[in-house]
Amino acid sequence: MNSHLIDQKYFNSKDFTTNLLPKAEYTGCVFTNCTFESSDVSNVNFTECDFVDCNFSNVNVMNTTFNDVAFIGCKILGVLFQSCNPFLLSFKFTNCILNLSSFYQVKINHTQFLNCTMHQVDFTEAEAKKTRFKDCDLYMSTFDRTNIEQADFTSAINFNINPSKNQIKNASFSNENISGLLESFNIKIKQ
């Protein structure tokens, strides 16, 4: 645990690419319009924090704790979330771009992805039960041996999920996107 506690602090338009965010426990903090691109937030604890309109691309999140964290309107390209501290891991993504990020073998049950662009995101062997992909574009994202039981894909687009290689019991899909379950079988659906 980090001994330095930063509580209820607002960070606005800060650039953490050259002056790195100090290693600490951040609780109830809000980061707005901050740039973290390619920086290092490893071994930092974030609890009940919000990141609003931040650039979080290619950030090193080794052993980083995200507990009840919200990302809103953020650019989060190429982040390897499997490096995070898995203990109490919970976050929500709204209006974010998560292209090329990875949740390989991560437990993200109950996570909400709302109106996110998620091109080429890796969910291989992830546990994403009851996860919601509301209005998300999952173009070329990988679902392989992924547990998406009871997940909600009813308004998601551009996904390709092979039902024989993933656990999809009680997952929700719509008539408009059901073809995303059949692409791997080379089945054509005519309207």
Side-chain angles (χ1 to χ4, degrees), residues 98-113:
L98 288 127
N99 297 348
L100 303 168
S101 291
S102 177
F103 295 92
Y104 173 71
Q105 293 185 332
V106 179
K107 286 187 179 182
I108 55 170
N109 297 325
H110 302 279
T111 298
Q112 301 228 14
F113 297 98

Side-chain angles (χ1 to χ4, degrees), residues 8-180:
Q8 305 289 324
K9 186 167 181 187
Y10 291 86
F11 298 86
N12 191 23
S13 300
K14 300 286 185 188
D15 185 347
F16 296 110
T17 58
T18 50
N19 295 319
L20 296 180
L21 183 71
K23 303 285 186 202
E25 292 184 39
Y26 295 84
T27 303
C29 295
V30 178
F31 299 85
T32 305
N33 292 311
C34 294
T35 301
F36 293 87
E37 186 171 15
S38 299
S39 68
D40 184 357
V41 297
S42 60
N43 298 301
V44 174
N45 293 348
F46 298 105
T47 302
E48 297 177 0
C49 292
D50 292 342
F51 293 88
V52 182
D53 298 326
C54 293
N55 184 344
F56 215 76
S57 297
N58 298 308
V59 172
N60 178 2
V61 293
M62 182 67 71
N63 295 318
T64 302
T65 298
F66 292 109
N67 180 3
D68 195 16
V69 169
F71 290 95
I72 304 160
C74 293
K75 183 177 177 184
I76 310 170
L77 305 179
V79 175
L80 304 177
F81 287 100
Q82 65 262 28
S83 302
C84 294
N85 178 354
F87 184 68
L88 299 175
L89 180 67
S90 63
F91 32 48
K92 178 179 180 179
F93 300 90
T94 305
N95 299 322
C96 292
I97 300 172
L98 288 127
N99 297 348
L100 303 168
S101 291
S102 177
F103 295 92
Y104 173 71
Q105 293 185 332
V106 179
K107 286 187 179 182
I108 55 170
N109 297 325
H110 302 279
T111 298
Q112 301 228 14
F113 297 98
L114 309 174
N115 197 38
C116 292
T117 302
M118 306 173 71
H119 295 183
Q120 298 180 41
V121 175
D122 187 4
F123 292 101
T124 301
E125 297 180 18
E127 186 176 299
K129 296 181 200 173
K130 298 183 180 179
T131 295
R132 188 172 182 209
F133 296 92
K134 183 180 184 333
D135 299 324
C136 291
D137 183 352
L138 293 158
Y139 179 74
M140 291 185 67
S141 288
T142 304
F143 292 88
D144 185 19
R145 299 175 309 257
T146 308
N147 187 335
I148 50 173
E149 292 177 357
Q150 300 180 50
D152 184 355
F153 289 89
T154 53
S155 60
I157 61 170
N158 294 326
F159 60 83
N160 182 356
I161 298 171
N162 185 333
S164 63
K165 292 185 177 180
N166 296 281
Q167 295 171 273
I168 66 168
K169 185 177 181 180
N170 293 320
S172 300
F173 301 90
S174 68
N175 286 333
E176 291 77 26
N177 69 14
I178 196 77
S179 62

